[in-house]
Amino acid sequence: AQSVTQLDSHVSVSEGTPVLLRCNYSSSYSPSLFWYVQHPNKGLQLLLKYTSAATLVKGINGFEAEFKKSETSFHLTKPSAHMSDAAEYFCVVSDRVKTSYDKVIFGPGTSLSVIP
Amino acid sequence: NAGVMQNPRHLVRRRGQEARLRCSPMKGHSHVYWYRQLPEEGLKFMVYLQKENIIDESGMPKERFSAEFPKEGPSILRIQQVVRGDSAAYFCASSSLAQSYNEQFFGPGTRLTVL
């Protein structure tokens, strides 16, 4: 069965320091993986996606993620946090299991706080 | 090209009333998905529709909830006889195809409050 685990419900970093948001997944197919960001009382915005091309994926706003099949991980990183990065981040897996279409499963989210 | 539109953005209902949430997908998109986000939680899949067809409603409660995506007009998520536990943000997403490499584009959500 598909599942997504975000190991940290909350991460706090100082402005200018690196960001690491962890995500592990389980899938019985070749999944596509996404990271979405949600600012308070806003909709979701796609940061980046992996769809079986390059394993290191670069997204918007300086974020990137690396797909590691052996570790079933898709951690999100950014070299230097900015105050505007404070938001909720969701790791998402899209998989095709017993259906004719790809079903999307959201992780529980990680809340990122950036300290000035 | 306008994005996914949802209205209303905020909806307040008393217990027992009906809530009707609308979603207009992006132009050219024929696949619509509804998700529910409870406070402090991630998004949970509810239902996936194509024009005039419900493809997967496995995430939608069997009672009081229904969804449609008519040939003309927006997709509607309808909640009858709302209860306090229905208070949540409801997000709609659309895509041009059902395949995973086609990103789902999300609307801003409708925040339902049941008094």
Side-chain angles (χ1 to χ4, degrees):
Chain A
Q2 306 156 277
S3 68
V4 181
T5 303
Q6 291 183 245
L7 296 163
D8 306 297
S9 60
H10 186 85
V11 170
S12 184
V13 301
S14 296
E15 189 176 16
T17 64
V19 175
L20 170 64
L21 305 182
R22 296 181 292 169
C23 172
N24 288 87
Y25 69 93
S26 68
S27 171
S28 56
Y29 191 63
S30 295
S32 294
L33 295 155
F34 306 79
W35 276 97
Y36 282 86
V37 61
Q38 183 182 29
H39 287 92
N41 297 313
K42 300 285 186 185
L44 285 87
Q45 180 183 19
L46 180 68
L47 281 177
L48 48 81
K49 64 180 178 181
Y50 166 78
T51 56
S52 74
T55 56
L56 182 62
V57 182
K58 293 188 184 298
I60 62 171
N61 301 335
F63 284 95
E64 60 181 40
E66 186 173 7
F67 173 68
K68 292 186 177 180
K69 188 173 182 178
S70 61
E71 298 176 10
T72 59
S73 69
F74 190 57
H75 301 333
L76 181 70
T77 60
K78 182 173 180 177
S80 175
H82 191 273
M83 294 299 294
S84 61
D85 294 328
E88 191 82 16
Y89 291 80
F90 294 98
C91 181
V92 178
V93 62
S94 180
D95 202 353
R96 185 172 300 181
V97 180
K98 297 182 181 178
T99 64
S100 59
Y101 68 97
D102 294 314
K103 199 159 183 177
V104 165
I105 305 294
F106 275 76
T110 297
S111 176
L112 175 65
S113 298
V114 181
I115 304 165
Chain B
N1 187 11
V4 178
M5 311 280 282
Q6 287 188 251
N7 68 83
R9 294 290 304 276
H10 300 274
L11 182 61
V12 179
R13 285 287 178 267
R14 296 192 181 279
R15 280 180 296 170
Q17 292 184 320
E18 177 180 289
R20 193 174 287 240
L21 288 61
R22 295 174 191 79
C23 169
S24 296
M26 283 183 69
K27 187 176 180 181
H29 285 190
S30 58
H31 300 257
V32 166
Y33 311 79
W34 284 94
Y35 297 86
R36 177 165 63 177
Q37 184 180 31
L38 294 170
E40 309 295 325
E41 294 187 14
L43 277 72
K44 303 292 185 195
F45 167 81
M46 296 182 74
V47 60
Y48 160 45
L49 309 104
Q50 295 179 20
K51 284 283 187 182
E52 299 185 278
N53 285 304
I54 297 175
I55 307 301
D56 182 350
E57 56 183 347
S58 59
M60 197 157 67
K62 294 287 186 287
E63 297 180 355
R64 302 189 298 108
F65 285 73
S66 62
E68 62 176 12
F69 188 17
K71 188 177 180 180
E72 302 290 338
S75 175
I76 306 287
L77 179 67
R78 184 179 174 210
I79 311 172
Q80 295 178 290
Q81 298 174 339
V82 295
V83 300
R84 288 222 173 100
D86 296 333
S87 295
Y90 292 83
F91 289 93
C92 166
S94 74
S95 68
S96 57
L97 289 171
Q99 284 74 24
S100 62
Y101 50 81
N102 283 81
E103 173 192 349
Q104 291 186 15
F105 292 82
F106 283 82
T110 294
R111 280 158 181 82
L112 172 65
T113 301
V114 179
L115 301 177

